[in-house]
Amino acid sequence: MGGGPRPHACRGPTVSVPDSAEGASPRRTSPAPAPAADPRGGSGKRYLALTAMLCAVSMTFIDQTIVSIASPEVARELDLGRGSIQWVINGYILALAASFALGGRWADVFGSKRMVLIGILGFAGSSALCGLTPTGSLAGTWIVGFRVLQGVSAAIMIPAALAVVVASFPIRERGRALAIFFGVSGGLTAVGPIAGGYLTQWTWRAIFWVNIPIAVLAIVLTLLAHIDLRGRRARIDVRGALLVAVGMALSVLGLEQANSWGWDDLRTWACIIGGLVVLAVFVLVELRTRVPLIKVRIFRDRAFSIDNGVLFFSMMAFVPVFFFASVYSQVSLGFGASSAGLYLLVFFGGFAPAAQIGGRILDSRGARPAMIAGGALGTLGFALWATRVTELDLGAQWWAIVLAGAGIGLLLGPASTDAVNRSIDASYGEVTGISQTLRNYGSSLGLAVLGSVLGNVFADRLTISFEALGIPADEAARLASAAATQAGGGTGAGGASAAPAALQTGIEAAVATDFALATQAVLWGMAIALAVSCILALFHPGGRVTEERTAEAAAPATG
């Protein structure tokens, strides 16, 4: 993998040789530690570690949707304006995006187990403080600040937790293990709307406090698992960490604010382009840094690059679908917040079993077949869902929703696992940090672009419908814009309530129908993103990574 000896040319916790110790470098010449030190241990020990990590990250996956559901109630009680409540959501996303790469590196240097525990404590502590937000002038600053701390804690925890799962299982079993990890954690995302709907009936503060008992259980399980993944002495590239944080934060900020500022606003493009320029500088700096934050040369491996490309485009559909489908179920189908979560569970009716099948395909045949099949099935599922979404009947849609979920379920685990297996010249924490950064960036791009599509199509269609009801053109445009803004924020379509009472029935019908048409455009966009993932997967070199191949690639050059 390049000339010259490297003291840590391979991953810190390696699975290059089946019986090697996880904490050892593949070039180590001293005798291996006793088998008891192997964090993989027996099957029970491995699955206890998997359960502990699932419990830890479950807080972050539930948080993706639960806060959005409760945000109207948060805004009312704390008297927060639209800008402030938006930052309750965006502050978390920005901190998460900016910190993933550094979180992965910290897992390598300080140890994955240690960083998981720090991440759990930080996430639970900041959650508790979010729930204790005082009313008054300090409220906005308080809750946004601790939401940012939540995001940083999640960025510390997730790469480290993934590194623990990867290191706990040999390559031949890793696909199945990560299929369980992604299947269960992905399914937990649908718990957010359900839990948020019920908890906010008591108090919105409970959506944050619910993380505390989960954190306690995660800490107990992590300690019981006796995970032995120590860090390795290495410098941390502070310059690279600052550059990637600024670049990711700026570009994601531009994407997040595009719907508020507008795509024609100078601030939107200044943030997006400025962030991308900083990220380009980051790549150039890393290529010239002896101990970089990220070994960007690993993208020269075609399989690794395609794995991450597949993840990037599939995330443009996977994470945004929770938001758009939840709002659609409320605005067009008339569901309540808790029932919206049940609507999302239909998606996981396909996702969860397909994730297990994808893991088995990876273990037996490699990632390429699963990614191609998943991309094709996901494209078909989202396209069929788009053709059925205007029927305003779950009975006409559920089978297409299941297909869409199955497509993403097939490809998500294999793409993520194959990326780790093939990145010989990088550590587990570093690689999971890279993959999570790209996944987060893809989901942010999907939310921004598809959110704009939703708002524009909805406003245009609604204006036409209002004019057909006899509302003057200027008033129709104003009402449509207000309805599009509120519906896009997940708070219904109350912007049309100012219209004359005699028109309310027609307006409500128009809102439901036209929002379904806007959602249809979004689903077509998701089908296109999955089609791109499928096309990329066709260029994957294929093959199954084995521990023998990993050992061979990691071995020092001789002669």
PDB file of all heavy atoms in Angstrom, residues 372-404:
ATOM      1  N   ILE A 372     -26.366  -3.898  -6.078  1.00  0.00           N
ATOM      2  CA  ILE A 372     -27.081  -3.793  -7.358  1.00  0.00           C
ATOM      3  C   ILE A 372     -28.561  -4.120  -7.166  1.00  0.00           C
ATOM      4  O   ILE A 372     -29.445  -3.386  -7.618  1.00  0.00           O
ATOM      5  CB  ILE A 372     -26.450  -4.721  -8.410  1.00  0.00           C
ATOM      6  CG1 ILE A 372     -25.034  -4.243  -8.764  1.00  0.00           C
ATOM      7  CG2 ILE A 372     -27.319  -4.783  -9.666  1.00  0.00           C
ATOM      8  CD1 ILE A 372     -24.275  -5.195  -9.664  1.00  0.00           C
ATOM      9  N   ALA A 373     -28.827  -5.233  -6.476  1.00  0.00           N
ATOM     10  CA  ALA A 373     -30.217  -5.632  -6.249  1.00  0.00           C
ATOM     11  C   ALA A 373     -30.953  -4.594  -5.409  1.00  0.00           C
ATOM     12  O   ALA A 373     -32.112  -4.253  -5.693  1.00  0.00           O
ATOM     13  CB  ALA A 373     -30.259  -6.995  -5.565  1.00  0.00           C
ATOM     14  N   GLY A 374     -30.274  -4.067  -4.375  1.00  0.00           N
ATOM     15  CA  GLY A 374     -30.904  -3.067  -3.524  1.00  0.00           C
ATOM     16  C   GLY A 374     -31.194  -1.783  -4.268  1.00  0.00           C
ATOM     17  O   GLY A 374     -32.270  -1.184  -4.117  1.00  0.00           O
ATOM     18  N   GLY A 375     -30.228  -1.334  -5.079  1.00  0.00           N
ATOM     19  CA  GLY A 375     -30.442  -0.121  -5.853  1.00  0.00           C
ATOM     20  C   GLY A 375     -31.598  -0.266  -6.832  1.00  0.00           C
ATOM     21  O   GLY A 375     -32.441   0.633  -6.984  1.00  0.00           O
ATOM     22  N   ALA A 376     -31.662  -1.422  -7.517  1.00  0.00           N
ATOM     23  CA  ALA A 376     -32.734  -1.663  -8.492  1.00  0.00           C
ATOM     24  C   ALA A 376     -34.086  -1.768  -7.800  1.00  0.00           C
ATOM     25  O   ALA A 376     -35.080  -1.165  -8.252  1.00  0.00           O
ATOM     26  CB  ALA A 376     -32.437  -2.937  -9.278  1.00  0.00           C
ATOM     27  N   LEU A 377     -34.134  -2.519  -6.696  1.00  0.00           N
ATOM     28  CA  LEU A 377     -35.398  -2.690  -5.982  1.00  0.00           C
ATOM     29  C   LEU A 377     -35.859  -1.375  -5.355  1.00  0.00           C
ATOM     30  O   LEU A 377     -37.056  -1.043  -5.368  1.00  0.00           O
ATOM     31  CB  LEU A 377     -35.238  -3.762  -4.905  1.00  0.00           C
ATOM     32  CG  LEU A 377     -36.512  -4.196  -4.166  1.00  0.00           C
ATOM     33  CD1 LEU A 377     -37.536  -4.738  -5.139  1.00  0.00           C
ATOM     34  CD2 LEU A 377     -36.174  -5.235  -3.091  1.00  0.00           C
ATOM     35  N   GLY A 378     -34.901  -0.599  -4.816  1.00  0.00           N
ATOM     36  CA  GLY A 378     -35.251   0.689  -4.239  1.00  0.00           C
ATOM     37  C   GLY A 378     -35.779   1.659  -5.286  1.00  0.00           C
ATOM     38  O   GLY A 378     -36.745   2.390  -5.055  1.00  0.00           O
ATOM     39  N   THR A 379     -35.148   1.678  -6.451  1.00  0.00           N
ATOM     40  CA  THR A 379     -35.618   2.533  -7.550  1.00  0.00           C
ATOM     41  C   THR A 379     -37.051   2.178  -7.921  1.00  0.00           C
ATOM     42  O   THR A 379     -37.921   3.057  -8.055  1.00  0.00           O
ATOM     43  CB  THR A 379     -34.715   2.384  -8.782  1.00  0.00           C
ATOM     44  OG1 THR A 379     -33.373   2.723  -8.426  1.00  0.00           O
ATOM     45  CG2 THR A 379     -35.181   3.285  -9.912  1.00  0.00           C
ATOM     46  N   LEU A 380     -37.301   0.881  -8.069  1.00  0.00           N
ATOM     47  CA  LEU A 380     -38.647   0.417  -8.421  1.00  0.00           C
ATOM     48  C   LEU A 380     -39.647   0.768  -7.321  1.00  0.00           C
ATOM     49  O   LEU A 380     -40.753   1.247  -7.594  1.00  0.00           O
ATOM     50  CB  LEU A 380     -38.625  -1.093  -8.655  1.00  0.00           C
ATOM     51  CG  LEU A 380     -39.978  -1.760  -8.963  1.00  0.00           C
ATOM     52  CD1 LEU A 380     -40.536  -1.230 -10.278  1.00  0.00           C
ATOM     53  CD2 LEU A 380     -39.828  -3.279  -9.000  1.00  0.00           C
ATOM     54  N   GLY A 381     -39.267   0.526  -6.066  1.00  0.00           N
ATOM     55  CA  GLY A 381     -40.166   0.781  -4.955  1.00  0.00           C
ATOM     56  C   GLY A 381     -40.555   2.245  -4.833  1.00  0.00           C
ATOM     57  O   GLY A 381     -41.743   2.575  -4.690  1.00  0.00           O
ATOM     58  N   PHE A 382     -39.568   3.141  -4.892  1.00  0.00           N
ATOM     59  CA  PHE A 382     -39.877   4.567  -4.776  1.00  0.00           C
ATOM     60  C   PHE A 382     -40.684   5.057  -5.980  1.00  0.00           C
ATOM     61  O   PHE A 382     -41.566   5.913  -5.839  1.00  0.00           O
ATOM     62  CB  PHE A 382     -38.593   5.379  -4.620  1.00  0.00           C
ATOM     63  CG  PHE A 382     -38.072   5.417  -3.206  1.00  0.00           C
ATOM     64  CD1 PHE A 382     -36.963   4.660  -2.830  1.00  0.00           C
ATOM     65  CD2 PHE A 382     -38.695   6.206  -2.251  1.00  0.00           C
ATOM     66  CE1 PHE A 382     -36.492   4.681  -1.531  1.00  0.00           C
ATOM     67  CE2 PHE A 382     -38.223   6.238  -0.938  1.00  0.00           C
ATOM     68  CZ  PHE A 382     -37.130   5.476  -0.576  1.00  0.00           C
ATOM     69  N   ALA A 383     -40.390   4.526  -7.172  1.00  0.00           N
ATOM     70  CA  ALA A 383     -41.144   4.921  -8.362  1.00  0.00           C
ATOM     71  C   ALA A 383     -42.601   4.479  -8.244  1.00  0.00           C
ATOM     72  O   ALA A 383     -43.530   5.257  -8.544  1.00  0.00           O
ATOM     73  CB  ALA A 383     -40.504   4.328  -9.611  1.00  0.00           C
ATOM     74  N   LEU A 384     -42.835   3.240  -7.804  1.00  0.00           N
ATOM     75  CA  LEU A 384     -44.208   2.763  -7.636  1.00  0.00           C
ATOM     76  C   LEU A 384     -44.926   3.508  -6.518  1.00  0.00           C
ATOM     77  O   LEU A 384     -46.124   3.795  -6.622  1.00  0.00           O
ATOM     78  CB  LEU A 384     -44.194   1.260  -7.360  1.00  0.00           C
ATOM     79  CG  LEU A 384     -43.777   0.379  -8.540  1.00  0.00           C
ATOM     80  CD1 LEU A 384     -43.628  -1.069  -8.090  1.00  0.00           C
ATOM     81  CD2 LEU A 384     -44.791   0.487  -9.675  1.00  0.00           C
ATOM     82  N   TRP A 385     -44.201   3.812  -5.461  1.00  0.00           N
ATOM     83  CA  TRP A 385     -44.776   4.611  -4.367  1.00  0.00           C
ATOM     84  C   TRP A 385     -45.219   5.976  -4.891  1.00  0.00           C
ATOM     85  O   TRP A 385     -46.292   6.473  -4.546  1.00  0.00           O
ATOM     86  CB  TRP A 385     -43.737   4.738  -3.267  1.00  0.00           C
ATOM     87  CG  TRP A 385     -44.213   5.338  -1.973  1.00  0.00           C
ATOM     88  CD1 TRP A 385     -45.484   5.760  -1.661  1.00  0.00           C
ATOM     89  CD2 TRP A 385     -43.420   5.561  -0.803  1.00  0.00           C
ATOM     90  NE1 TRP A 385     -45.522   6.242  -0.369  1.00  0.00           N
ATOM     91  CE2 TRP A 385     -44.273   6.127   0.169  1.00  0.00           C
ATOM     92  CE3 TRP A 385     -42.075   5.354  -0.490  1.00  0.00           C
ATOM     93  CZ2 TRP A 385     -43.815   6.476   1.448  1.00  0.00           C
ATOM     94  CZ3 TRP A 385     -41.620   5.698   0.766  1.00  0.00           C
ATOM     95  CH2 TRP A 385     -42.467   6.262   1.723  1.00  0.00           C
ATOM     96  N   ALA A 386     -44.391   6.569  -5.735  1.00  0.00           N
ATOM     97  CA  ALA A 386     -44.736   7.872  -6.318  1.00  0.00           C
ATOM     98  C   ALA A 386     -46.032   7.798  -7.125  1.00  0.00           C
ATOM     99  O   ALA A 386     -46.863   8.722  -7.092  1.00  0.00           O
ATOM    100  CB  ALA A 386     -43.597   8.378  -7.199  1.00  0.00           C
ATOM    101  N   THR A 387     -46.239   6.696  -7.842  1.00  0.00           N
ATOM    102  CA  THR A 387     -47.454   6.580  -8.662  1.00  0.00           C
ATOM    103  C   THR A 387     -48.692   6.332  -7.813  1.00  0.00           C
ATOM    104  O   THR A 387     -49.817   6.571  -8.268  1.00  0.00           O
ATOM    105  CB  THR A 387     -47.324   5.435  -9.684  1.00  0.00           C
ATOM    106  OG1 THR A 387     -47.214   4.187  -8.996  1.00  0.00           O
ATOM    107  CG2 THR A 387     -46.100   5.643 -10.573  1.00  0.00           C
ATOM    108  N   ARG A 388     -48.512   5.858  -6.570  1.00  0.00           N
ATOM    109  CA  ARG A 388     -49.649   5.533  -5.713  1.00  0.00           C
ATOM    110  C   ARG A 388     -49.936   6.596  -4.652  1.00  0.00           C
ATOM    111  O   ARG A 388     -51.006   6.595  -4.055  1.00  0.00           O
ATOM    112  CB  ARG A 388     -49.402   4.196  -4.990  1.00  0.00           C
ATOM    113  CG  ARG A 388     -49.232   3.001  -5.915  1.00  0.00           C
ATOM    114  CD  ARG A 388     -50.547   2.656  -6.601  1.00  0.00           C
ATOM    115  NE  ARG A 388     -50.442   1.406  -7.358  1.00  0.00           N
ATOM    116  CZ  ARG A 388     -50.085   1.331  -8.625  1.00  0.00           C
ATOM    117  NH1 ARG A 388     -49.744   2.449  -9.284  1.00  0.00           N
ATOM    118  NH2 ARG A 388     -50.029   0.174  -9.248  1.00  0.00           N
ATOM    119  N   VAL A 389     -48.991   7.493  -4.416  1.00  0.00           N
ATOM    120  CA  VAL A 389     -49.108   8.406  -3.273  1.00  0.00           C
ATOM    121  C   VAL A 389     -50.277   9.377  -3.421  1.00  0.00           C
ATOM    122  O   VAL A 389     -50.818   9.872  -2.426  1.00  0.00           O
ATOM    123  CB  VAL A 389     -47.771   9.166  -3.070  1.00  0.00           C
ATOM    124  CG1 VAL A 389     -47.607  10.275  -4.122  1.00  0.00           C
ATOM    125  CG2 VAL A 389     -47.659   9.734  -1.676  1.00  0.00           C
ATOM    126  N   THR A 390     -50.704   9.659  -4.629  1.00  0.00           N
ATOM    127  CA  THR A 390     -51.812  10.601  -4.837  1.00  0.00           C
ATOM    128  C   THR A 390     -53.177   9.963  -4.600  1.00  0.00           C
ATOM    129  O   THR A 390     -54.198  10.651  -4.655  1.00  0.00           O
ATOM    130  CB  THR A 390     -51.774  11.174  -6.265  1.00  0.00           C
ATOM    131  OG1 THR A 390     -51.766  10.088  -7.208  1.00  0.00           O
ATOM    132  CG2 THR A 390     -50.534  12.017  -6.467  1.00  0.00           C
ATOM    133  N   GLU A 391     -53.231   8.671  -4.348  1.00  0.00           N
ATOM    134  CA  GLU A 391     -54.508   8.002  -4.113  1.00  0.00           C
ATOM    135  C   GLU A 391     -55.027   8.229  -2.699  1.00  0.00           C
ATOM    136  O   GLU A 391     -56.171   7.871  -2.381  1.00  0.00           O
ATOM    137  CB  GLU A 391     -54.385   6.512  -4.412  1.00  0.00           C
ATOM    138  CG  GLU A 391     -54.073   6.231  -5.879  1.00  0.00           C
ATOM    139  CD  GLU A 391     -54.148   4.750  -6.216  1.00  0.00           C
ATOM    140  OE1 GLU A 391     -54.868   4.011  -5.498  1.00  0.00           O
ATOM    141  OE2 GLU A 391     -53.487   4.329  -7.191  1.00  0.00           O
ATOM    142  N   LEU A 392     -54.189   8.795  -1.819  1.00  0.00           N
ATOM    143  CA  LEU A 392     -54.589   9.154  -0.451  1.00  0.00           C
ATOM    144  C   LEU A 392     -55.189   7.965   0.302  1.00  0.00           C
ATOM    145  O   LEU A 392     -56.164   8.103   1.054  1.00  0.00           O
ATOM    146  CB  LEU A 392     -55.579  10.324  -0.463  1.00  0.00           C
ATOM    147  CG  LEU A 392     -55.139  11.594  -1.207  1.00  0.00           C
ATOM    148  CD1 LEU A 392     -56.160  12.709  -1.022  1.00  0.00           C
ATOM    149  CD2 LEU A 392     -53.762  12.048  -0.751  1.00  0.00           C
ATOM    150  N   ASP A 393     -54.590   6.808   0.105  1.00  0.00           N
ATOM    151  CA  ASP A 393     -55.071   5.592   0.744  1.00  0.00           C
ATOM    152  C   ASP A 393     -53.873   4.688   1.019  1.00  0.00           C
ATOM    153  O   ASP A 393     -53.197   4.250   0.080  1.00  0.00           O
ATOM    154  CB  ASP A 393     -56.081   4.889  -0.168  1.00  0.00           C
ATOM    155  CG  ASP A 393     -56.583   3.580   0.424  1.00  0.00           C
ATOM    156  OD1 ASP A 393     -56.400   3.363   1.634  1.00  0.00           O
ATOM    157  OD2 ASP A 393     -57.146   2.771  -0.343  1.00  0.00           O
ATOM    158  N   LEU A 394     -53.612   4.418   2.280  1.00  0.00           N
ATOM    159  CA  LEU A 394     -52.477   3.571   2.633  1.00  0.00           C
ATOM    160  C   LEU A 394     -52.609   2.186   2.014  1.00  0.00           C
ATOM    161  O   LEU A 394     -51.612   1.565   1.620  1.00  0.00           O
ATOM    162  CB  LEU A 394     -52.350   3.460   4.156  1.00  0.00           C
ATOM    163  CG  LEU A 394     -51.225   2.566   4.680  1.00  0.00           C
ATOM    164  CD1 LEU A 394     -49.867   3.011   4.158  1.00  0.00           C
ATOM    165  CD2 LEU A 394     -51.228   2.536   6.214  1.00  0.00           C
ATOM    166  N   GLY A 395     -53.823   1.698   1.883  1.00  0.00           N
ATOM    167  CA  GLY A 395     -54.024   0.383   1.300  1.00  0.00           C
ATOM    168  C   GLY A 395     -53.522   0.270  -0.123  1.00  0.00           C
ATOM    169  O   GLY A 395     -53.149  -0.815  -0.574  1.00  0.00           O
ATOM    170  N   ALA A 396     -53.498   1.399  -0.846  1.00  0.00           N
ATOM    171  CA  ALA A 396     -53.010   1.389  -2.230  1.00  0.00           C
ATOM    172  C   ALA A 396     -51.501   1.572  -2.315  1.00  0.00           C
ATOM    173  O   ALA A 396     -50.922   1.424  -3.387  1.00  0.00           O
ATOM    174  CB  ALA A 396     -53.708   2.501  -3.025  1.00  0.00           C
ATOM    175  N   GLN A 397     -50.864   1.881  -1.182  1.00  0.00           N
ATOM    176  CA  GLN A 397     -49.442   2.245  -1.199  1.00  0.00           C
ATOM    177  C   GLN A 397     -48.531   1.254  -0.483  1.00  0.00           C
ATOM    178  O   GLN A 397     -47.338   1.186  -0.790  1.00  0.00           O
ATOM    179  CB  GLN A 397     -49.241   3.609  -0.526  1.00  0.00           C
ATOM    180  CG  GLN A 397     -50.031   4.751  -1.089  1.00  0.00           C
ATOM    181  CD  GLN A 397     -49.893   5.996  -0.229  1.00  0.00           C
ATOM    182  OE1 GLN A 397     -48.861   6.221   0.419  1.00  0.00           O
ATOM    183  NE2 GLN A 397     -50.919   6.810  -0.194  1.00  0.00           N
ATOM    184  N   TRP A 398     -49.064   0.516   0.488  1.00  0.00           N
ATOM    185  CA  TRP A 398     -48.191  -0.155   1.445  1.00  0.00           C
ATOM    186  C   TRP A 398     -47.185  -1.090   0.783  1.00  0.00           C
ATOM    187  O   TRP A 398     -46.030  -1.164   1.202  1.00  0.00           O
ATOM    188  CB  TRP A 398     -49.025  -0.911   2.481  1.00  0.00           C
ATOM    189  CG  TRP A 398     -49.747  -2.111   1.950  1.00  0.00           C
ATOM    190  CD1 TRP A 398     -51.021  -2.170   1.479  1.00  0.00           C
ATOM    191  CD2 TRP A 398     -49.208  -3.433   1.825  1.00  0.00           C
ATOM    192  NE1 TRP A 398     -51.329  -3.438   1.063  1.00  0.00           N
ATOM    193  CE2 TRP A 398     -50.234  -4.242   1.269  1.00  0.00           C
ATOM    194  CE3 TRP A 398     -47.983  -4.018   2.117  1.00  0.00           C
ATOM    195  CZ2 TRP A 398     -50.059  -5.591   0.994  1.00  0.00           C
ATOM    196  CZ3 TRP A 398     -47.793  -5.369   1.848  1.00  0.00           C
ATOM    197  CH2 TRP A 398     -48.827  -6.137   1.303  1.00  0.00           C
ATOM    198  N   TRP A 399     -47.601  -1.806  -0.269  1.00  0.00           N
ATOM    199  CA  TRP A 399     -46.689  -2.761  -0.886  1.00  0.00           C
ATOM    200  C   TRP A 399     -45.538  -2.057  -1.603  1.00  0.00           C
ATOM    201  O   TRP A 399     -44.407  -2.557  -1.622  1.00  0.00           O
ATOM    202  CB  TRP A 399     -47.455  -3.667  -1.862  1.00  0.00           C
ATOM    203  CG  TRP A 399     -48.219  -2.913  -2.917  1.00  0.00           C
ATOM    204  CD1 TRP A 399     -49.474  -2.403  -2.823  1.00  0.00           C
ATOM    205  CD2 TRP A 399     -47.748  -2.580  -4.218  1.00  0.00           C
ATOM    206  NE1 TRP A 399     -49.834  -1.759  -3.979  1.00  0.00           N
ATOM    207  CE2 TRP A 399     -48.793  -1.856  -4.860  1.00  0.00           C
ATOM    208  CE3 TRP A 399     -46.569  -2.820  -4.916  1.00  0.00           C
ATOM    209  CZ2 TRP A 399     -48.676  -1.368  -6.157  1.00  0.00           C
ATOM    210  CZ3 TRP A 399     -46.448  -2.339  -6.209  1.00  0.00           C
ATOM    211  CH2 TRP A 399     -47.489  -1.622  -6.821  1.00  0.00           C
ATOM    212  N   ALA A 400     -45.808  -0.863  -2.180  1.00  0.00           N
ATOM    213  CA  ALA A 400     -44.730  -0.092  -2.807  1.00  0.00           C
ATOM    214  C   ALA A 400     -43.773   0.452  -1.750  1.00  0.00           C
ATOM    215  O   ALA A 400     -42.552   0.501  -1.952  1.00  0.00           O
ATOM    216  CB  ALA A 400     -45.315   1.045  -3.633  1.00  0.00           C
ATOM    217  N   ILE A 401     -44.316   0.861  -0.598  1.00  0.00           N
ATOM    218  CA  ILE A 401     -43.485   1.362   0.507  1.00  0.00           C
ATOM    219  C   ILE A 401     -42.574   0.243   1.018  1.00  0.00           C
ATOM    220  O   ILE A 401     -41.390   0.462   1.303  1.00  0.00           O
ATOM    221  CB  ILE A 401     -44.369   1.915   1.640  1.00  0.00           C
ATOM    222  CG1 ILE A 401     -45.237   3.060   1.139  1.00  0.00           C
ATOM    223  CG2 ILE A 401     -43.507   2.376   2.813  1.00  0.00           C
ATOM    224  CD1 ILE A 401     -46.260   3.552   2.150  1.00  0.00           C
ATOM    225  N   VAL A 402     -43.123  -0.964   1.118  1.00  0.00           N
ATOM    226  CA  VAL A 402     -42.325  -2.114   1.560  1.00  0.00           C
ATOM    227  C   VAL A 402     -41.178  -2.373   0.583  1.00  0.00           C
ATOM    228  O   VAL A 402     -40.031  -2.629   0.995  1.00  0.00           O
ATOM    229  CB  VAL A 402     -43.218  -3.357   1.718  1.00  0.00           C
ATOM    230  CG1 VAL A 402     -42.361  -4.610   1.911  1.00  0.00           C
ATOM    231  CG2 VAL A 402     -44.162  -3.185   2.902  1.00  0.00           C
ATOM    232  N   LEU A 403     -41.450  -2.298  -0.720  1.00  0.00           N
ATOM    233  CA  LEU A 403     -40.397  -2.492  -1.719  1.00  0.00           C
ATOM    234  C   LEU A 403     -39.306  -1.434  -1.597  1.00  0.00           C
ATOM    235  O   LEU A 403     -38.113  -1.740  -1.704  1.00  0.00           O
ATOM    236  CB  LEU A 403     -40.998  -2.463  -3.123  1.00  0.00           C
ATOM    237  CG  LEU A 403     -41.826  -3.669  -3.573  1.00  0.00           C
ATOM    238  CD1 LEU A 403     -42.368  -3.443  -4.982  1.00  0.00           C
ATOM    239  CD2 LEU A 403     -40.981  -4.942  -3.533  1.00  0.00           C
ATOM    240  N   ALA A 404     -39.723  -0.179  -1.403  1.00  0.00           N
ATOM    241  CA  ALA A 404     -38.739   0.902  -1.249  1.00  0.00           C
ATOM    242  C   ALA A 404     -37.845   0.650  -0.036  1.00  0.00           C
ATOM    243  O   ALA A 404     -36.622   0.800  -0.102  1.00  0.00           O
ATOM    244  CB  ALA A 404     -39.461   2.246  -1.112  1.00  0.00           C
TER     245      ALA A 404
END
